[in-house]
Amino acid sequence: MALKVAAVLWIVWGLVHTLAGMIVLTSDATGGFQAIADAIDPAALEADYHVAVGGVLNQHGWNLGWFGIATIIGAIFIWRQNITAIWVTGMVGGLADVGYLLFVDFPGYVNFVPGTIMTFISASAVALSFWVWFSVRRVSSK
């Protein structure tokens, strides 16, 4: 049951990040920054950004999208109790959220919803998955 809950959490996380990636990729640089840093006054983020800034932001949007899709695929395998998927999905989604937590969430650039909530969702999915992994490992070593 814990893996099924973890899989659902990863699907939610993956859908939100895939959507965020699409929003960033289809926006100009100002719109992309405003979508991500939603706790900042949108007027403070309005600027005539160099096209290179837009390119870097699009690369970030691309990463958000593939992180999301990868975790959705991983969630399907976690639902089916694939132990390898626990590691791969945890590394992709979990490590993506570590960077977000350190550089976007902690400084206060985002609102609690959906930003910080997604960090709690990925941390919960990682914790549940690894709890099962350690339990299975402990039982199989006896």
Side-chain angles (χ1 to χ4, degrees), residues 71-117:
T71 58
I72 291 168
I73 293 168
I76 294 166
F77 287 99
I78 289 172
W79 183 277
R80 296 176 180 172
Q81 301 178 9
N82 182 297
I83 299 301
T84 303
I86 290 171
W87 282 97
V88 175
T89 308
M91 286 190 316
V92 171
L95 290 175
D97 254 7
V98 168
Y100 172 85
L101 184 68
L102 293 174
F103 303 112
V104 183
D105 200 4
F106 281 163
Y109 303 142
V110 294
N111 289 318
F112 187 76
V113 177
T116 307
I117 292 291

Side-chain angles (χ1 to χ4, degrees), residues 17-70:
H17 284 76
T18 302
L19 176 63
M22 289 189 305
I23 289 170
V24 170
L25 284 170
T26 58
S27 300
D28 63 356
T30 295
F33 285 124
Q34 289 169 337
I36 295 167
D38 61 353
I40 304 301
D41 176 16
L45 297 171
E46 285 185 29
D48 187 19
Y49 294 103
H50 189 279
V51 293
V53 174
V56 171
L57 192 59
N58 283 339
Q59 189 258 344
H60 176 66
W62 174 263
N63 283 340
L64 287 171
W66 84 256
F67 293 161
I69 291 168

